[in-house]
Amino acid sequence: MTKKMTITLDENFIDELSQIAHELGKKKTQVIREALQDYFDVQAITKTVQEYKMGTLKTISHADMRKALGV
C-alpha cells in the first residue's frame, strides 16, 4: 500500500534528483524511494552494531543455532 506525501526540497536537490533519475531511466519517486530504503537499511545496521558493541544485542552460539535449525 502506498500513500502520497508532499515534501519540500532545496532547488539544487530537485535538479540533481531530476538528473540522476534521467540518467538511471527511473522516475524521481522511485529514486527517492530507493534512497530512503538505503538510508533505513544503514540505520538498522548501525543500530545493530551499536547494540553489539554495548553488549545489549542478544546473540546465539553456532551450536545453538544449528540445534534450533535441526541441522
Side-chain angles (χ1 to χ4, degrees):
M1 179 174 157
T2 60
K3 288 177 86 172
K4 285 190 177 190
M5 180 179 168
T6 302
I7 61 170
T8 303
L9 297 172
D10 213 35
E11 191 172 329
N12 293 336
F13 278 141
I14 295 171
D15 292 343
E16 190 169 354
L17 173 61
S18 296
Q19 181 180 349
I20 289 170
H22 177 73
E23 289 172 3
L24 296 173
K26 297 179 179 181
K27 293 183 177 188
K28 291 181 278 189
T29 302
Q30 185 178 359
V31 173
I32 292 170
R33 190 179 302 116
E34 290 172 1
L36 282 171
Q37 187 60 61
D38 287 348
Y39 176 80
F40 295 148
D41 291 346
V42 168
Q43 293 305 306
I45 292 167
T46 300
K47 181 181 177 203
T48 301
V49 169
Q50 288 173 341
E51 289 174 350
Y52 176 77
K53 286 181 178 181
M54 293 181 353
T56 58
L57 182 67
K58 183 180 178 193
T59 59
I60 185 169
S61 72
H62 183 257
D64 288 343
M65 178 56 78
R66 289 179 58 87
K67 184 177 177 183
L69 295 173
V71 290

